[in-house]
Amino acid sequence: EAQVTQNPRYLITVTGKKLTVTCSQNMNHEYMSWYRQDPGLGLRQIYYSMNVEVTDKGDVPEGYKVSRKEKRNFPLILESPSPNQTSLYFCASSLGQANTEAFFGQGTRLTVV
Amino acid sequence: AQKVTQAQTEISVVEKEDVTLDCVYETRDTTYYLFWYKQPPSGELVFLIRRNSFDEQNEISGRYSWNFQKSTSSFNFTITASQVVDSAVYFCALSDPNAGNNRKLIWGLGTSLAVNP
């Protein structure tokens, strides 16, 4: 089954404690990205990757890091989480053309206290 | 600048009513793509439909239909004979093929649809 898998689904952490949200896709997609969803602000792109070892900032990259060592995986790293990073996070993958739909993971609800 | 506006923040209907969710977009490009996604209470984002700017044919899929009108920059979504399972947040999104390597979607803020029994 074609899917994007994010882990964990829910996470509560404390300010400053490094964490990683994993994302894996089994569709051999080249393009992957991370979004955060916040009430009243909608979905905003954090980082994206066009292919292995090719990543770039989206609209709200501050406080986040990503890596793309393998085509299927695109982890999101919060080196020192802060309460303003409390949000619902989505990983997405697609074939890489503008006319193809993005497939989304189940979402990770992160709370930083 | 590109923008997607979903003016209806929340809609509440009774089961079996028809409901239309509005989406208005702004772009300077002649080639672009529009999408609708559904976010049920469980939280995931589910792809519903894709439409390119050169195809203005309306589309019907079961109880769902979409009306794309370039003249008014709108891509509206209608659910016929709504059901409780249709309760979700629905997002309209715009993709710009001229945005270089970034295939990000420009999202509307969503319309929360509640279908009551």
Side-chain angles (χ1 to χ4, degrees), chain A residues 9-10 31 33 35 37 40-45 48 50 57-59 88 90 94 96-107, chain B residues 32-33 35 37 39 42-47 49-50 52 89 91 95-110:
Chain A
R9 291 289 309 276
Y10 303 92
Y31 181 85
S33 64
Y35 290 86
Q37 183 181 15
L41 297 176
L43 284 102
R44 295 176 292 168
Q45 190 188 53
Y48 68 95
M50 284 300 297
K57 297 176 182 178
D59 296 319
L88 177 59
F90 287 99
S94 71
Q97 289 82 43
N99 64 341
T100 57
E101 68 271 24
F103 293 82
F104 286 84
Q106 315 95 306
Chain B
Y32 51 88
Y33 302 90
F35 302 81
Y37 282 84
Q39 187 175 39
S42 49
E44 71 271 24
L45 285 162
V46 179
F47 166 76
I49 192 171
R50 170 185 64 242
N52 75 58
V89 180
F91 291 95
S95 175
D96 174 15
N98 300 311
N101 290 328
N102 191 358
R103 294 288 174 249
K104 81 173 181 182
L105 295 169
I106 309 298
W107 297 82
L109 293 183

Side-chain angles (χ1 to χ4, degrees), chain B residues 9-66:
Chain B
T9 304
E10 296 181 355
I11 300 176
S12 182
V13 299
V14 176
E15 208 169 17
K16 297 183 183 172
E17 284 185 28
D18 298 347
V19 57
T20 295
L21 310 182
D22 297 332
C23 172
V24 174
Y25 62 93
E26 296 175 29
T27 180
R28 287 191 293 267
D29 299 300
T30 56
T31 301
Y32 51 88
Y33 302 90
L34 294 160
F35 302 81
W36 275 94
Y37 282 84
K38 174 182 179 179
Q39 187 175 39
S42 49
E44 71 271 24
L45 285 162
V46 179
F47 166 76
L48 294 178
I49 192 171
R50 170 185 64 242
R51 173 65 72 227
N52 75 58
S53 54
F54 296 106
D55 182 2
E56 287 196 71
Q57 279 195 342
N58 292 330
E59 180 149 344
I60 298 175
S61 176
R63 296 184 296 107
Y64 294 174
S65 62
W66 290 268

Side-chain angles (χ1 to χ4, degrees), chain A residues 21-42:
Chain A
V21 183
T22 64
C23 174
S24 181
Q25 51 96 1
N26 63 1
M27 295 167 280
N28 202 36
H29 284 166
E30 293 183 345
Y31 181 85
M32 298 184 74
S33 64
W34 278 100
Y35 290 86
R36 59 177 290 174
Q37 183 181 15
D38 302 288
L41 297 176

